[in-house]
Structures are given as structure tokens and as C-alpha cells.
Amino acid sequence: MDHWDDSQVEFMAEHGNQKVNAKYEAFIPVYYYRPTFQDCQVLREQWVRSKYERKEFVAERDNKSEFNGIKEGYFWKRGRDNGQFLSRRFVLSEQNGTLMYYAKHDAKEPKAVIKVENLNASFQPAKIGNPNGLQITYVKDNKTRNIFLYHENGKEIVEWFNALREAQYNYLKVAFPCAPNTEILPKLTRSFIKEGYMEKTGPRQTEGFKKRWFTMDHRRLMYFKDPLDAFAKGEVFIGSKDHGYNVILGLPPGTQGNFSWQFGITIVTPERNFLFTCETDSDQAEWYSAFNKVVKQTMTPQDCAQQAYFKHKP
């Protein structure tokens, strides 16, 4: 983002945050994502440019959505098998509640049709290797599917991100007409709780520990051989303490199997225990904190439905 000169700094100081926000944030759509200091550069930059350069949310502006029910565009999408990024056409339809992408620009039938209520989108510039990298996650054939893509234009990728949020919001308002926004907004696109490498062993707990990439998405802990894998190798549901789940620092006494990392974590579930090791004590503390936070949360009816799905998952 361009460096602010003295006159811009003086303008901000003169008007103050409250006065400025009263004007430049007067008409922000309820579904629009407001980034924090923890978000990636493209989100923060486009937020500032939307407010002050393009003045998209001022009271005097006719602030209609640029989505308007359907949106088409092209992204560079990573191939599932070869890892190459190729141009693909995407179509978002609010009427159908779907996000579709096509393997060829002139293709009649989409390669995939994704229900907006089942997808998640999160910016992953470091993982994808592009400042505008976006990861879309959804469930396909009882497996979690990841799509990695980017766009050369930061404004365009953020507009798509908020269009997905708008489509999700409108779907949920129809599906749950009495639900307040305080319940609906957290169900829109979300960042993962934590990601990183750990080692894990198998169900017999005698196999060797293998290094895997883990992604914690609410109560779903997914693991992959590589961070850019299209499909998860496995998933673990993490419920609440009053449903028989717990997280314990360390491994059970007498744990067998060769593990090179010494900082263990045990996740207790009604069916079995899952054993993990972390490379450092700080990694262990961060993962333990993430797991423990989820375990302490009361399960919602949606969480219980997801738990039942995991129990009967083939």
C-alpha cells in the first residue's frame, strides 16, 4: 500500500477515528468482512482503499452490492494432481446457492458445483505462495476438499471473498428467518483456528509417528501429507467435555512407536485416544490451547449433528 504523506496523516489526526468512521463506514453491509491487524495484507489494504479511496461506504453513495445475485470471473487454480496453476472460470449464483468452476473457458458443464452453505473461504498467502491466495474448503464424497487459487488483482479477490459471504448470509437469512445476525455472522467464512505440523500415530498406537500438516477448523481437525493437498488423509471430531472429549498434555505412559518430537498431546474421544507430538514446547502450548478452547465450548445442535456424521462416516 502507498505510504501516507504528511497531509494524509494530518487529515486523520484532525478528523479523528469517530468522525471519519461515521462518514466512511456509514453504509457497510452487515456481511462485509472488516479485517483486523491479524489479517493478511490484501484484506487490510483493500479495506483502507475501499473506505478512503473508493469511498464505497459513505452515506452519499448508492451502496448497492456489486454481486447482485451472480458473479463470474477467472482465477488461477492449482491443479489437484500436478500442482500447476491454470486459469479457470468461476461462477457464483445466489439464486442456485452455488459456486461452480469450469475446467475449460468454453465448457458447458462445470467441473464442480459447491453449495455456498457448505463452503469456507480463507486467505492463505503464505501457504499458496501468492499475496492474494485464497483457499476454498468444502465436503465432497464424505471427504474434505481444498481448492487453492489466486487472482492478480487484490481488489478483485477481496470482492469475491465478500460476495461469497453475501451469498452465505442471504441463504442463512432465508433458511433461518428468526435467527439474529449475532448467530448468523459467525457462520460465514472463517479463518482456521490453527494450522501447522505435528506427528501422529495410528489407532493401535504402536505404529511409528508420521509428520503431517494439521488444520483445525472449529471442531474438525484435519491432517494432510502436504499443506497443499486437495484432500485430507483423515479427520478427527473434537467435541466438548460433557460429551466425553478431553485434551491432555503429554502421551500415555509406555507409548510405543518411534517419535522424533518429544512434546506430546493426547486427545481423548469416546471412541479412542489420538496421540500427537510437537516439535517445540511453544508449539505444544499453542495446540493445547486451541484444543482446550474447543473442548470447553458447549456443543450446538449443529455440532451434535456433525458428531453423528463422524460416528457413521464410512
Side-chain angles (χ1 to χ4, degrees), residues 33-184:
Y33 184 77
R34 304 187 188 204
T36 70
F37 71 94
Q38 295 177 317
D39 284 301
C40 62
Q41 174 69 17
V42 68
L43 272 173
R44 291 183 284 115
E45 175 178 339
Q46 292 304 317
W47 168 243
V48 172
R49 293 191 184 279
S50 294
K51 286 172 60 175
Y52 303 120
E53 287 186 357
R54 299 190 290 269
K55 299 180 176 62
E56 294 181 4
F57 314 120
V58 298
E60 293 84 0
R61 179 185 173 92
D62 182 15
N63 189 54
K64 292 184 178 179
S65 167
E66 296 184 11
F67 175 28
N68 290 328
I70 193 161
K71 189 174 180 67
E72 295 189 42
Y74 292 88
F75 292 91
W76 293 98
K77 175 188 170 294
R78 188 178 191 271
R80 183 185 68 180
D81 301 318
N82 59 22
Q84 294 181 336
F85 282 90
L86 300 174
S87 179
R88 294 289 183 258
R89 180 165 67 98
F90 282 74
V91 178
L92 174 62
S93 170
E94 180 179 344
Q95 181 178 359
N96 297 327
T98 58
L99 174 68
M100 301 175 288
Y101 76 87
Y102 297 78
K104 296 182 179 180
H105 291 182
D106 58 352
K108 301 294 185 182
E109 298 296 326
K111 178 71 173 178
V113 179
I114 309 166
K115 291 290 186 180
V116 295
E117 69 265 26
N118 295 330
L119 69 78
N120 184 38
S122 63
F123 280 92
Q124 298 283 354
K127 185 192 294 186
I128 295 174
N130 186 283
N132 301 333
L134 188 71
Q135 177 178 343
I136 294 176
T137 304
Y138 64 101
V139 176
K140 177 183 179 181
D141 299 329
N142 294 325
K143 294 182 179 179
T144 297
R145 172 75 161 101
N146 292 323
I147 293 178
F148 303 98
L149 49 85
Y150 70 87
H151 198 285
E152 296 95 336
N153 187 290
K155 176 177 180 290
E156 185 73 11
I157 195 74
V158 173
E159 285 181 353
W160 268 90
F161 178 70
N162 280 298
L164 288 170
R165 289 176 61 87
E166 180 180 356
Q168 289 180 319
Y169 176 79
N170 291 337
Y171 165 82
L172 291 170
K173 290 297 287 185
V174 172
F176 306 99
C178 296
N181 284 337
T182 53
E183 292 183 10
I184 288 180

